Amino acid sequence: MEETVAIVGAGMGGLSAAIVLATSGFRVTVIDAADGPGGKLRQVTAGGRTFDGGPTVLTMKWVFDALLSRCGTALGDEITLKRCDVIARHYWQDGQRLDLFADIAESRRAIADFAGAGEALGFQRFADDSARIYRLLERSFIDAARPNPLSLSARIGLHRPSALLALKPFSSLWSALESYFTDPRLRQLFARYATYCGSSPYLSPATLMLVAHVEQAGVWTVEGGMHALAQRLMQIAQDFGVEFHFGERVSAIDRDGSAKAVRGVTTDRQRHVPAHFVIYNGDAAALPGLIGQARPARGGASQRSLSALVACGPALPAGVPLSHHTVFFSNDYAGEFDAIFGRGQPPADPTVYVCAQDRPAGHDNSGGADTGQAERLYCLMNMPANGDSHAYPESEIDRCLSSMQRRLGKNGLTLQLDRTALSITAPDQFNQLYPGTGGALYGRASHGWMASFQRPAAPGPLQGLYLAGGSVHPGPGVPMAALSGKIAAERLMADRVLHGRSRPAAITGGMRTRSATADSSPSQ
């Protein structure tokens, strides 16, 4: 009998798991409440134009190449990618500017011009150490079933104490940066890597330095936007027979008579979808309600990662030139995170990230800037994840937008936003999109050296239930969520063999049910 898997959620983890399982011979059904794939890789419409409304950065391309090798293809054969020459542009008060480049030597020269030769040497040490941390963790932690501290130590090598200490687990990212940089602007720049997993650089471990190496290894833009990646992965999964049902929310994960094992899912249309296995690709905070357990008390809110206020819309920027990715830093970085994590309030002086979605990375003038017409801009400020307990009325949204525009102006960018033409998402709306989160976009915050070990692992609390997504191991981010789906699928298959069931016949890349370029629309 063909074995079936129901996947709850068509985010990156669900898409990855679907491809792994379908190419291994399972019959897979994916159900999602949204009207299309991607999860947080969503699209929004503003001013009559479409925008990426979620993640805007693609890194760790090897994750997707490895995933698609199961299908006889590679990421660059399926979508059009362009590697960014400029990783990001950064501005401080009065237009002080520093670009980070894909080439380390070019970044070192830029830092020397910006802050002096000593800081450039500090950057080289930082780059070397971040690469070392990444290499230590890539196979032992990132692309592996979730270890505990002891098993991680064993994987790295208990006989290599210098390697374990190189991870800097007991230092905060901010304090570690003080050993590399004396210029506070550079500490602020590289401390921002903590926010990539929704955390404060003052509370998260220095291990997050590895993000610097991830970026140096390649930052990519996707033709058609990041949402196009999700669309293409869905189409590839469909080529291998995966069925997708959108606009249908899973209301319960069903148990068998023993109440210890799954037997499928029920949707809000009162439709039962039988399945031998279930992969839950949603935030772990919402899982208890789906399996009939009491939800945890809101005390868990103190462990949540950052939320955000995201404003997308057409605008005509003036003043300092934008790159594809541009960051405008606050004058009070510590105060920004104290407001969010300490007081649960929007920061009065936020750091603002702007993605100019019509601009190739590294060009001062392109897209709308060449034509004199408004271009597509995505503006983000960090916010507390309190969207389940605090509503954000228009007056508060207006204050946040004004704070963003003030910071942009102080750092040299004049940006007049037509608020009637904006798509705005605040923490309460993110909580509606991703139930149980309060609007947290990265699962739990990576605060303290144990935080990475406290994310849920792939095996769920019921037999036959597995977890994927950014709130579980190995963590948030597009490639990490994809890895979580792969890990969940591989654990499902390993458990299946362990319990004496034969493995289904794998489907090779030459046996797609449809061609890679076929027009395949999701099942409704």
Side-chain angles (χ1 to χ4, degrees):
M1 181 179 68
E2 189 176 27
E3 291 192 288
T4 55
V5 182
I7 298 179
V8 182
M12 197 52 56
L15 292 169
S16 174
I19 289 171
V20 172
L21 292 168
T23 55
S24 299
F26 290 82
R27 184 158 59 88
V28 182
T29 300
V30 182
I31 304 167
D32 198 302
D35 58 4
K40 292 186 176 72
L41 260 69
R42 64 195 187 106
Q43 275 190 329
V44 299
T45 302
R49 304 171 73 179
T50 58
F51 295 73
D52 273 334
T56 59
V57 175
L58 179 65
T59 59
M60 298 172 67
K61 177 176 170 286
W62 64 267
V63 170
F64 301 96
D65 286 332
L67 173 67
L68 294 179
S69 68
R70 300 168 184 264
C71 310
T73 186
L75 186 62
D77 296 330
E78 300 294 335
I79 59 176
T80 301
L81 299 169
K82 181 173 182 180
R83 186 165 180 168
C84 301
D85 297 326
V86 174
I87 292 174
R89 178 162 293 162
H90 309 84
Y91 286 106
W92 290 266
Q93 188 87 9
D94 300 324
Q96 304 168 74
R97 167 181 155 181
L98 175 64
D99 288 357
L100 279 189
F101 297 89
D103 182 86
I104 289 179
E106 196 169 356
S107 289
R108 190 172 62 241
R109 286 192 295 270
I111 289 172
D113 292 341
F114 179 74
E119 299 297 84
L121 290 174
F123 166 73
Q124 186 64 63
R125 288 192 297 110
F126 174 79
D128 292 342
D129 287 351
S130 66
R132 185 182 184 194
I133 291 172
Y134 179 83
R135 287 192 295 269
L136 285 169
L137 292 178
E138 180 182 18
R139 299 303 177 189
S140 63
F141 184 83
I142 295 172
D143 190 19
R146 190 194 70 173
N148 56 45
L150 183 60
S151 63
L152 176 62
S153 299
R155 289 176 188 178
I156 293 175
L158 292 170
H159 61 288
R160 301 169 62 201
S162 61
L164 295 173
L165 291 174
L167 298 177
K168 304 178 187 289
F170 305 116
S171 300
S172 72
L173 179 58
W174 185 264
S175 64
L177 290 170
E178 292 175 345
S179 67
Y180 299 99
F181 306 107
T182 60
D183 191 311
R185 297 171 299 177
L186 295 177
R187 292 201 296 270
Q188 191 176 27
L189 189 162
F190 293 105
R192 186 172 176 270
Y193 289 134
T195 66
Y196 286 31
C197 59
S199 305
S200 164
Y202 301 93
L203 300 172
S204 54
T207 310
L208 292 180
M209 286 168 51
L210 65 84
V211 179
H213 178 71
V214 168
E215 287 198 330
Q216 292 290 350
V219 173
W220 308 82
T221 58
V222 179
E223 185 176 291
M226 288 289 288
H227 185 69
L229 170 63
Q231 289 283 351
R232 192 71 197 105
L233 292 180
M234 179 189 71
Q235 291 161 2
I236 291 170
Q238 288 176 320
D239 289 343
F240 285 90
V242 177
E243 294 184 10
F244 286 84
H245 299 269
F246 294 112
E248 190 170 4
R249 183 180 298 278
V250 169
S251 55
I253 294 173
D254 302 325
R255 309 183 189 206
D256 65 7
S258 70
K260 293 181 180 179
V262 300
R263 62 180 184 88
V265 300
T266 296
T267 74
D268 57 1
R269 299 179 185 175
Q270 298 303 305
R271 183 168 72 94
H272 173 65
V273 181
H276 297 96
F277 306 95
V278 174
I279 291 182
Y280 172 68
N281 175 216
D283 198 283
L287 180 61
L290 294 178
I291 59 176
Q293 295 180 354
R295 291 178 183 262
R298 281 208 71 252
S302 62
Q303 300 174 343
R304 290 173 178 167
S305 63
L306 292 168
S307 187
L309 186 141
V310 176
C312 297
L316 184 62
V320 296
L322 295 172
S323 185
H324 188 82
H325 304 292
T326 309
V327 182
F328 296 83
F329 280 111
S330 161
N331 279 3
D332 184 7
Y333 213 41
E336 180 175 351
F337 290 99
D338 180 63
I340 294 170
F341 287 109
R343 301 192 303 277
Q345 298 175 354
D349 182 16
T351 295
V352 182
Y353 164 68
V354 177
C355 180
Q357 298 190 4
D358 296 317
R359 298 186 182 223
H363 292 255
D364 287 348
N365 295 294
S366 58
D370 280 342
T371 64
Q373 297 178 353
E375 56 184 297
R376 295 181 303 150
L377 297 183
Y378 164 115
C379 301
L380 177 149
M381 64 178 279
N382 294 320
M383 296 281 279
N386 59 359
D388 54 347
S389 61
H390 178 75
Y392 283 81
E394 286 190 14
S395 58
E396 189 165 11
I397 298 294
D398 286 345
R399 286 195 297 273
C400 290
L401 291 173
S402 295
S403 296
M404 291 171 72
Q405 287 184 282
R406 273 197 307 274
R407 173 44 51 200
L408 294 174
K410 289 179 179 179
N411 291 16
L413 182 72
T414 301
L415 191 61
Q416 295 300 323
L417 297 173
D418 179 359
R419 300 187 185 183
T420 64
L422 292 179
S423 169
I424 299 173
T425 314
D428 53 349
Q429 294 160 300
F430 280 122
N431 181 64
Q432 294 172 14
L433 289 168
Y434 316 117
T437 65
L441 297 175
Y442 312 86
R444 65 178 295 149
S446 297
H447 292 163
W449 74 276
M450 279 294 294
S452 293
F453 301 107
Q454 293 168 336
R455 289 184 180 275
L462 302 175
Q463 184 181 333
L465 174 61
Y466 299 86
L467 312 182
S471 67
V472 306
H473 174 78
V478 175
M480 304 290 260
L483 281 175
S484 78
K486 184 206 78 158
I487 291 169
E490 290 178 341
R491 182 58 186 266
L492 182 158
M493 292 188 290
D495 287 350
R496 188 177 166 284
V497 172
L498 185 65
H499 288 92
R501 291 159 129 174
S502 62
R503 183 170 180 168
I507 300 173
T508 66
M511 294 178 63
R512 290 190 183 183
T513 58
R514 279 169 259 168
S515 69
T517 57
D519 179 16
S520 48
S521 58
S523 302
Q524 296 296 326

